[in-house]
Each structure stands twice: as structure tokens, then as C-alpha cells.
Amino acid sequence: MGNLDLMPRDSFGSKLGVIAAAAGSAVGLGNIWRFPYVTGQNGGGAFLLIYLMFILAIGFPVMLAELTIGRRAQRNALGSFRKLAPGKPWYMVGMMGIVAAFMILAFYSTIAGWTLEYLVQAVTNSFDGKTAGELKTSFEKFQGGTFRPLVWQVVFMFLTGYIVFSGVKNGIEKYTKILMPVLLLLIIVICIRSLTLPGAKEGLVFLFKPDFSKITWPVILDALGQAAFSLSIGMGTLITYGSYIQKDNNLPVTALQVSATDTIIAILAGVMIFPAVFAFNIDPAEGFGLVFIVLPNIFEQMAGGYFFGILFFILLAIAALTSTVSVLEVVVAYFSEELKMTRHRATIIAAVAITFVGLFATLSFGPLSGFKILDRTIFGWFDFLSANILLPLGAIFIVVFVGWVLGKKNVREELSNDGTVKLPLLNIFMWIIKLVAPLAIAMVFIYGLGLIG
Ligand code: TRP
């Protein structure tokens, strides 16, 4: 595989491009769809607090660890482990990441497809004049269908494939840079409308006032899973993106900016959704459909709601797209570097295979909704298994690898960029990734799944 070193690798063009691409990966449906639904199901404030603790104490260090692996090795998620620990079984962590990527994209593209349906509904002014109850019914009718949700999923996967096809710099970097700030602005505008609805205060209380009686181990596991999912950590997305980052980039600062951006957008999504949830008498524990039921209600109550609705669903679809691209890129980078396929061939094979698996996730809201294993649908299992099992497990292996195998000397070398970046917190970072993070994740995992006690 030595010849790989001679091949020029695609890379991100600028510092801003790196942040835009990594933040583009992190910010997506995880923030705007998943965060509110999981927070709603887990009782609000106390969940948020635990989530924030996990972002800071585990999420950020894991993100930095992943970027370190990727930039050091200059390889895909699996090849990186192979290169840094030749002849050892660490590449299995990369393998697990590929499996997680398949599973995430399979169900993520279902919801991403919903954003396209809602874009069309916004354009055709279909929310107008409907009561909260009618908006819920029309959502359920769409979701429970067969043809439309499947078509949208396929369309979305096609778009994802198209961007990955075009390569890292031209495809991924170009779009994210402009659109992310616009999304942020629009969310703030919608927050203001939501906050000024009658009865909005109750939503803020729900989101920000911790009620610790709601906290159980499964709730804590959900918080960990959501933190990992939202930051795009634990499956090699950031190893892969790290491998495209130039050697003079300040990785700790990049990781900090990306995790801060992601967290701010998740909290703002909460501020956008929960006041409206209470104002419109919607159950915060509604589940997968929560934001799709709440948002049209807000647009209906908003001056310029027609316009804002369209703009929002365009931006949401794009935010989802910059995330799906980063997941597909993990598989494509692996196929093309390790299995020696051309980038085009790798993209087609991966996208088609994932779309096929994804169809079952989509159908589990319709014809397959009765098919449940232990009370979860196929969609529910993909969601749960990837976020709550594969990502935390991946995160443990990643930090243990960086902490114990790569070791402090290599980490310092990689993060200091030939001594130009000062690393005053290196010892704390090493301590967290060697001990604190692995033990904390393992504990949450064991108790959250009820393996002990
Ligand atoms: N973080 C993205 C979101 O919030 C989804 C995502 C992209 C992801 N890449 C990932 C999740 C890698 C886990 C792992 O929408």
C-alpha cells in the first residue's frame, strides 16, 4: 500500500473550508430533528444538562482524537488504523465505522426525504388554514404512505451521491461555506416567533429547568448517544475528514469551533421547537415526527410564514445533505482506497446498497410499521443501534487508540504543527482520552443497557 503515499490526496482548500465541512457534517437533522425529539422523550431540562456535560467532557475530546488519527494517517477510517497500527486488529474499529455509516445513512435518508416532501408542501402552501390537529393528521398520512416517502428518500440519496461523486473540495466544501450561516440566521428568526407565541414560556421551562427525577440510566445513555450522533463522532467521519485537513490547521481550535457551533444550533433548535410545542398543545414526547408537526404550525402563525417555511426546508435539506455527504464519504473513501475502486464506482455501489437498506427504514413507518422486535421498528433499531451502541463503542476504541497506542509523543507532534501551536491542556486531554472518557462511556453503556443492576 506504499504507493498510496505517492498519490496526491484531495484536501480542503482553506481554514474556513475545513470548519465549514466539519460543521456541515455535525450540523444536520441530528440537531434539528433528533435533538428535539430525544429531548422531548427524555423529559427536557435535566436531559439537556447531561447532554451538555457529555459534549464538553467526552464529545469534544473524541472529536479531537478522531481528527488527530485522520490527519496523522492521511487515510480513510479503516486504512488509518491499519497504517498507524500495522498488523494489529485495530482496523476492526474502522470496519465497525463502515457498518455504522451504512446504518446511519439508511435511516437518516428517510428523514432527509421528509424534508423534501415538506419543502414541496411549503411551496404549494399546504400548511395554510390547517388546524394543529389537521397538520398532525396530514403528517401521519404522508409518513404512513409508501410511494412518496420512498421516492423522496431515493431522490435524497441521489443528491448525496452526486455531491460525493464530485469530490471533496468541489463538492463538499463549496456548498457548506455559504449556507450554514444563513441557516443559523433563519433559526434565530423562527426562535423569535416561537418565543412570542402565547404559552411559550412553558416550553422554555421544559427545556431549561432540570427535573432530576426524570433521570435514569437509559436517559443518560440517550444523552450520550445524542451527543455522539450530533457531533458526528464514533464512526470515522472525522477521521476521514481529518485526513483531508492540511498540516498547518490548528486542530484543537477547529474541534472547539465545530463542537460549539453544533451545540449552539441544537440548543437554538430546542428554543425554536419547545415553546411552540406547548403553545400548540403538542406532546413533547411525540417522537420521530415532532419537528415535522410543530414547524408548519409555527410558519402558519408567522408574518411571512410562507416565505420562511420554504427557506427553512431548503436550508434544512441542505444541512441534512452536508451531513449525509460526510457519512457516505466514509464508505466511499474506504471502498476507493482499500478496495481500489475508482471514486465513481465506489460512490455508485455504496449509494445504491445503502439506499436499498434504507427503503426498509422508510417502510417501517408505513406497510412495515407492525413489524417490531422488542417494541422497536426497523427504523427504531437503526436509530438506536447506531447512536446508542455503535457510536459510543466506536468512541471508546478511538480514544483508547489515541491515548494508549498512538501515545502522547505522537499526539503532541500531530497537534502542535511543528511547535507553532501551543498545547497547554495536553496533559488534561491525554488524561481524558486515556481514562475518563473510556470509563465514563463504558459505565453509561453498561448501566444504560441494563447489562448490570
Ligand atoms: N451529525 C450529523 C447530524 O447531526 C449526522 C452525522 C453525520 C453523523 N456524520 C455522522 C452521525 C457520523 C454520526 C456519525 O445530523
Side-chain angles (χ1 to χ4, degrees):
M1 279 198 314
N3 61 340
L4 272 179
D5 288 318
L6 302 174
M7 250 159 53
R9 282 184 66 123
D10 206 355
S11 72
F12 293 124
S14 67
K15 267 193 200 109
L16 188 63
V18 169
I19 292 163
S25 167
V27 176
L29 296 172
N31 308 60
I32 289 159
W33 158 74
R34 204 175 188 281
F35 174 76
Y37 110 68
V38 178
T39 304
Q41 281 186 335
N42 287 303
F47 175 87
L48 175 62
L49 202 67
I50 296 171
Y51 167 79
L52 292 176
M53 273 167 42
F54 280 147
I55 293 276
L56 196 71
I58 295 178
F60 166 72
V62 176
M63 180 181 284
L64 187 53
E66 268 194 53
L67 293 173
T68 307
I69 294 175
R71 193 174 66 177
R72 186 112 191 123
Q74 300 285 301
R75 289 279 197 286
N76 62 84
L78 194 139
S80 285
F81 286 104
R82 235 185 222 154
K83 179 167 174 189
L84 298 176
K88 304 262 170 56
W90 282 100
Y91 69 90
M92 304 271 286
V93 183
M95 208 66 243
M96 207 170 83
I98 312 287
V99 174
F102 252 78
M103 210 177 266
I104 290 173
L105 206 46
F107 81 86
Y108 199 94
S109 55
T110 302
I111 310 295
W114 294 359
T115 66
L116 297 179
E117 163 75 17
Y118 269 68
L119 171 58
V120 170
Q121 291 199 16
V123 171
T124 54
N125 208 8
S126 343
F127 312 139
D128 199 35
K130 290 203 176 110
T131 62
E134 284 166 345
L135 285 168
K136 184 168 151 82
T137 314
S138 87
F139 168 74
E140 281 161 359
K141 191 155 164 272
F142 158 70
Q143 176 201 43
T146 305
F147 187 66
R148 286 176 79 98
L150 286 181
V151 169
W152 286 129
Q153 178 176 39
V154 171
V155 170
F156 202 92
M157 282 302 296
F158 179 83
L159 293 172
T160 305
Y162 178 77
I163 295 184
V164 171
F165 214 81
S166 333
V168 174
K169 204 185 304 180
N170 296 330
I172 297 167
E173 190 179 331
K174 201 167 70 185
Y175 300 97
T176 351
K177 233 168 10 191
I178 319 157
L179 295 159
M180 299 284 305
V182 186
L183 177 67
L184 182 62
L185 216 67
L186 188 64
I187 292 175
I188 293 173
V189 172
I190 303 172
C191 280
I192 294 172
R193 174 66 272 213
S194 185
L195 285 168
T196 49
L197 288 165
K201 192 164 159 269
E202 218 184 316
L204 286 183
V205 172
F206 179 85
L207 182 60
F208 290 117
K209 189 156 179 260
D211 170 2
F212 290 103
S213 69
K214 300 266 168 63
I215 297 306
T216 60
W217 281 107
V219 170
I220 298 175
L221 178 60
D222 266 351
L224 178 66
Q226 175 58 25
F229 189 89
S230 194
L231 292 179
S232 299
I233 56 178
M235 58 148 263
T237 282
L238 295 167
I239 295 178
T240 309
Y241 272 22
S243 76
Y244 305 133
I245 296 180
Q246 279 148 358
K247 288 286 182 191
D248 64 351
N249 189 278
N250 186 332
L251 290 184
V253 170
T254 297
L256 192 66
Q257 285 166 333
V258 172
S259 25
T261 308
D262 186 72
T263 307
I264 289 167
I265 294 194
I267 294 174
L268 285 174
V271 174
M272 167 172 85
I273 295 298
F274 286 108
V277 162
F278 286 87
F280 299 122
N281 266 318
I282 293 164
D283 178 7
E286 167 71 36
F288 302 129
L290 184 69
V291 291
F292 290 90
I293 295 170
V294 175
L295 284 166
N297 278 294
I298 306 179
F299 295 130
E300 235 187 358
Q301 301 290 320
M302 214 168 155
Y306 173 71
F307 171 74
F308 285 121
I310 295 173
L311 194 58
F312 181 81
F313 284 112
I314 292 177
L315 291 166
L316 184 58
I318 292 168
L321 195 56
T322 54
S323 300
T324 52
V325 159
S326 77
V327 184
L328 187 59
E329 178 65 26
V330 172
V331 183
V332 169
Y334 163 69
F335 279 1
S336 59
E337 286 179 10
E338 303 297 310
L339 308 182
K340 309 279 184 278
M341 292 181 197
T342 64
R343 188 171 178 87
H344 286 181
R345 196 185 161 83
T347 309
I348 293 171
I349 292 179
V352 169
I354 291 170
T355 307
F356 179 75
V357 180
L359 299 180
F360 295 93
T362 300
L363 290 176
S364 68
F365 290 100
L368 296 179
S369 61
F371 180 76
K372 285 188 181 172
I373 301 166
L374 297 173
D375 224 30
R376 275 181 223 275
T377 59
I378 298 171
F379 181 98
W381 273 110
F382 284 178
D383 184 33
F384 176 82
L385 275 180
S386 57
N388 287 13
I389 311 258
L390 290 176
L391 298 182
L393 215 54
I396 292 186
F397 287 125
I398 286 163
V399 285
V400 167
F401 181 80
V402 174
W404 297 94
V405 180
L406 207 54
K408 189 170 167 182
K409 187 177 151 287
N410 283 311
V411 172
R412 174 183 284 125
E413 217 174 274
E414 190 55 45
L415 292 182
S416 70
N417 303 353
D418 301 324
T420 51
V421 175
K422 296 269 166 295
L423 301 167
L425 303 179
L426 185 65
N427 285 331
I428 298 180
F429 174 66
M430 291 308 293
W431 187 68
I432 290 181
I433 61 170
K434 282 171 95 159
L435 287 170
V436 181
L439 291 176
I441 299 171
M443 186 167 95
V444 174
F445 209 59
I446 289 167
Y447 283 98
L449 292 173
L451 301 180
I452 296 183

